[in-house]
Amino acid sequence: MINPKTWHVSEENEDERIDKWLAKAMGASRTAVQQWVRDGYVLVGGKQVKSNYKLQKGDNILAEPPSEEPFALEAEDIPLDIRYEDDDLLVVNKARGMVVHPAPGHFTGGTLVHALLHYTDALSDVNGELRPGIVHRIDKDTSGLMVVAKTNHAHTHLVEQLQRRSLSRVYRALVHGAVSHEEGTIEAPIGRDPFDRQKMAVTDVHAKEAITHFDVLERFSDYTIIRCRLETGRTHQIRVHMAYIGHPVVADPKYGNRRHSHLLSGQALHAEELTLVHPSDSEMYTFHAPLPDDMEQLIEGIRRAGE
């Protein structure tokens, strides 16, 4: 354990959330503090509270978070769908439900990184020991193509392409409602949702530029299949943008609703195409990955219902 720390709440801090206040007081992340609160390492007046507890004048707070244990990633024999590989990089079709890499406070196995460590000894270390080879990410419950760097030269080259927006990522999505336009561009800044820190939102507060291009592939009475091309790569970008224009991605519990969630293990969103310039020969490569079976079956069921 870290040496315990105690505080006596004054009037000026009254009504602040304990997780927000304690994160500032301890110089820790709010996520870490929330985990400490859940695990009972934070007490108010000798009792456990919830992360949203509002401080009261005179509260006595005791925080005794666990010390960080030394950690090393272990390789795990998890099947991977490798679509391409050479000495510089590999392209993997990530399964829906798989987390890309572990993070502080979430060192559990089963991530893409754990699988990659078992698959190959050659991974770049540009992003540190928790994210070997990882150039970009895909949400846990989104499937599809990712490029993984095997050398530091390849990693740097690919990141430069992302920054120049020359590395192209195309997604296919099933969204709610009949999208009226044949094509369009959503240009709306994305930042942390001020009302829910677990979500992103279109906002002008501490936001970053976000641009999504889309075109309609097929319409049904209550649904539309669209193709989206990312010009920027913000967290949850397509999901946030489509919800923003009133067409949330099907089975997206965070930005839409849980309808059809019994048929899919995540949202109906798939990174189907990836185009990049190869770091060694400067040739342009394009890779494709078919829709997951459950997403294909859902679409086919909707198609048949409309006949």
Side-chain angles (χ1 to χ4, degrees):
M1 293 285 181
I2 295 174
N3 291 332
K5 296 184 179 181
T6 59
W7 293 267
H8 186 75
V9 177
S10 63
E11 186 175 357
E12 66 181 273
N13 299 122
E14 198 168 18
D15 289 331
E16 286 192 51
R17 282 179 56 125
I18 191 170
D19 56 351
K20 184 177 180 180
W21 180 85
L22 199 55
K24 189 183 302 181
M26 297 192 70
S29 73
R30 195 165 168 185
T31 300
V33 170
Q34 289 170 345
Q35 188 63 53
W36 299 341
V37 171
R38 283 193 293 269
D39 292 342
Y41 294 116
V42 177
L43 302 177
V44 178
K47 298 179 180 179
Q48 280 189 248
V49 295
K50 294 183 178 181
S51 295
N52 63 356
Y53 172 78
K54 296 292 183 67
L55 298 177
Q56 302 297 315
K57 179 183 177 181
D59 279 347
N60 290 306
I61 300 173
L62 170 67
E64 193 175 10
S67 57
E68 292 290 338
E69 298 294 333
F71 178 78
L73 286 174
E74 294 185 4
E76 294 183 29
D77 187 3
I78 302 171
L80 289 173
D81 181 8
I82 304 295
R83 312 300 291 189
Y84 175 83
E85 182 177 13
D86 59 28
D87 291 340
D88 294 290
L89 56 85
L90 61 86
V91 176
V92 59
N93 181 22
K94 186 190 80 69
R96 192 189 298 114
M98 176 180 274
V99 175
V100 171
H101 61 75
H106 300 277
F107 292 128
T108 54
T111 73
L112 176 63
V113 163
H114 287 88
L116 288 169
L117 289 170
H118 182 271
Y119 180 79
T120 179
D121 293 327
L123 291 171
S124 70
D125 60 10
V126 171
N127 264 342
E129 62 179 3
L130 294 183
R131 294 183 289 175
I134 301 302
V135 176
H136 63 110
R137 292 177 293 178
I138 294 179
D139 296 343
K140 172 189 172 184
D141 291 325
T142 298
S143 58
L145 295 173
M146 291 180 56
V147 60
V148 175
K150 298 176 74 174
T151 69
N152 287 355
H153 166 72
H155 194 128
T156 301
H157 196 283
L158 291 165
V159 168
E160 289 174 352
Q161 290 182 54
L162 279 171
Q163 293 171 343
R164 294 195 307 266
R165 303 180 182 179
S166 59
L167 192 154
S168 174
R169 292 158 291 165
V170 177
Y171 289 70
R172 186 169 300 209
L174 177 67
V175 301
H176 286 283
V179 178
S180 58
H181 301 291
E182 293 300 323
E183 60 184 31
T185 295
I186 307 168
E187 188 168 356
I190 291 176
R192 189 68 59 182
D193 189 327
F195 303 104
D196 185 345
R197 303 298 294 175
Q198 302 301 313
K199 297 171 65 175
M200 307 301 288
V202 171
T203 175
D204 291 325
V205 180
H206 304 300
K208 294 182 178 179
E209 177 190 33
I211 303 172
T212 303
H213 306 281
F214 71 87
D215 58 276
V216 170
L217 300 179
E218 188 173 359
R219 287 189 186 87
F220 310 102
S221 58
D222 296 317
Y223 305 92
T224 306
I225 300 174
I226 60 171
R227 179 168 49 216
C228 295
R229 181 175 64 82
L230 292 178
E231 188 168 325
T232 55
R234 308 306 173 205
T235 301
H236 302 169
Q237 180 171 316
I238 292 173
R239 299 163 65 190
V240 171
H241 271 173
M242 295 313 299
Y244 177 66
I245 65 170
H247 297 287
V249 176
V250 167
D252 185 346
K254 192 177 288 286
Y255 302 102
N257 59 58
R258 295 184 178 276
R259 187 179 181 187
H260 299 303
S261 60
H262 64 292
L263 300 175
L264 296 176
S265 56
Q267 53 268 357
L269 181 62
H270 175 69
E272 65 176 357
E273 182 179 297
L274 177 69
T275 299
L276 55 86
V277 176
H278 197 280
S280 290
D281 62 21
S282 297
E283 294 292 326
M284 186 168 288
Y285 288 61
T286 297
F287 307 97
H288 296 90
L291 292 180
D293 289 342
D294 58 356
M295 187 172 167
E296 189 72 72
Q297 290 166 8
L298 174 59
I299 291 173
E300 187 55 35
I302 292 172
R303 187 179 287 124
R304 287 199 304 270
E307 291 177 349

